[in-house]
Amino acid sequence: TTRALSLIVSGGETTQRPWYSGGNDGEDPDVMISEQCAITTRVAPSFLRVGHIDLFARRALARNATDEQKAEHRQMVEHALFREYPHVKPDAPLEDRVEAMLDEAADRFGALVVGWLRVGFCQGNFNADNCLISGRTMDYGPFGFMDDYDPFFAKWVGSGRHFAFMSQPMAAVANYAMLVKSMLPVMGSVERAQKCVDRAQKVIKAAVEDGYRAKLGFAEEGSAAAAEIYEALEALMRRSSVDYTILWRQLACVAELDESAAASDAALLAPIKMAFYREPCEKLSAGWAEVLRSWRRALAAEEGGGGPEAAAKRMRAANPKYIPREWMLAKAYDQAAHGSYDLVYELYNLFLKPYDEQPDFEEKYYRLAPKEALEKGGIAKMT
């Protein structure tokens, strides 16, 4: 992502905007509120969007394109290489440098969305204008972190399924394809461009699979066992009402159970019980136990995995314990609006070490979201 440098709040200038009253669980705001005006400054090596290159490419590819418009597109591409990919084949012809840049961009786009899936984050509006060629993002849509697992989760009511949580890898592929298309005036070969897109689809798919491999504690990249277990686990998550962050974190405790402690279904499920918003029925519980046992056997059978303790350590490094949930942030900014920044500083310190246990914060922040956080407009969803 681009990074926040500063936030400057006006001492007196305010503006009116639509928002949600306390009892509004719908998608549309129903009240007008007054907010202080502010300016945030963000920094990045560049702010070149995929949409920027696309704009110049459309001009350069038009039937009546001028030499100047073609030259401007070429200058934009050269600038993109200079700002974000200066190391790729610096002495090669431009078309070869572009292809090398696109190969690396595919890796970056994959790493971007895998990071989001790993921590339960949904950007909300991941289109080509909000995707930088560097593999960063900006202009969030509104964004948010997920509580109750839903593959179609998004904070923004306008995200639809195409920008929802589990659709983000497909959005990344679409943005990448747009980037490749915008390079056609200098690449000169549709076939060459299509090969880049085909490779990116495979790269991003493999990156997502490997992200969940890490969340499950497997050491081997490209593990077929991990892919099979994840498919079964995700199906159970869809059928259950389960907290995404707490479930993944608590699975490390399941990995550490010795065989005698995991003999019964109840004992096997005990570490993840706190992750359920609604207790699973007997049939669903049996399904969870079956998948967890298959997963434990696969972990034990993995060569070079180092055993359950090593797997649990890897899982705790991949699955955060604390994330910036909207209900936490809302309390902090409500208090800040009344002059108290205690919660702001507390959350700031909490999120400095999101993978650490931090037992002093467990009771307060390592818990299921309150009901209103799953339903209330302005917290569960917003426009």
Side-chain angles (χ1 to χ4, degrees), residues 156-326:
W156 182 35
V157 298
S159 290
R161 291 195 169 189
H162 49 291
F163 292 133
F165 179 69
M166 286 301 292
S167 298
Q168 292 179 121
M170 291 178 283
V173 170
N175 292 340
Y176 180 85
M178 181 64 74
L179 177 61
V180 173
K181 185 178 179 181
S182 73
M183 296 294 175
L184 274 175
V186 293
M187 291 183 77
S189 168
V190 173
E191 182 181 356
R192 197 174 187 181
Q194 187 59 51
K195 285 181 179 179
C196 289
V197 175
D198 292 344
R199 175 186 178 274
Q201 289 177 320
K202 295 175 182 176
V203 165
I204 293 172
K205 181 177 183 292
V208 170
E209 291 174 351
D210 209 51
Y212 281 108
R213 182 271 307 166
K215 287 178 74 65
L216 283 165
F218 289 92
E220 180 188 353
E221 292 187 11
S223 167
E228 185 178 337
I229 295 295
Y230 170 70
E231 184 177 352
L233 182 68
E234 196 274 337
L236 286 170
M237 292 168 65
R238 286 182 187 233
R239 292 167 58 196
S240 307
S241 182
V242 64
D243 191 275
Y244 188 79
T245 298
I246 296 176
L247 173 68
W248 283 107
R249 183 74 179 192
Q250 290 301 117
L251 282 175
C253 299
V254 178
E256 290 173 322
L257 291 174
D258 60 39
E259 286 303 318
S260 59
S264 70
D265 287 1
L268 185 63
L269 296 177
I272 63 170
K273 189 174 182 180
M274 65 181 293
F276 288 91
Y277 287 94
R278 184 177 61 251
E279 187 173 347
C281 66
E282 185 176 343
K283 182 177 180 180
L284 199 53
S285 294
W288 276 97
E290 181 181 354
V291 170
L292 292 181
R293 286 198 171 91
S294 296
W295 166 58
R296 281 166 52 87
R297 286 194 297 270
L299 279 180
E302 186 182 39
E303 290 186 15
E309 288 187 4
K313 184 177 181 180
R314 288 191 294 270
M315 294 176 72
R316 292 189 175 103
N319 299 308
K321 184 171 183 177
Y322 302 100
I323 57 168
R325 299 175 186 261
E326 197 67 28

Side-chain angles (χ1 to χ4, degrees), residues 123-145:
Q123 196 268 6
N125 191 20
F126 191 42
N127 59 27
D129 275 351
N130 297 336
C131 178
L132 303 186
I133 64 161
S134 60
R136 300 183 187 89
T137 184
M138 60 186 295
D139 289 356
Y140 313 90
F143 66 87
F145 287 79

Side-chain angles (χ1 to χ4, degrees), residues 20-36:
Y20 301 81
S21 64
N24 183 1
D25 293 341
E27 293 187 349
D28 297 322
D30 58 339
V31 295
M32 296 296 292
I33 63 171
S34 179
E35 294 272 20
Q36 288 176 280

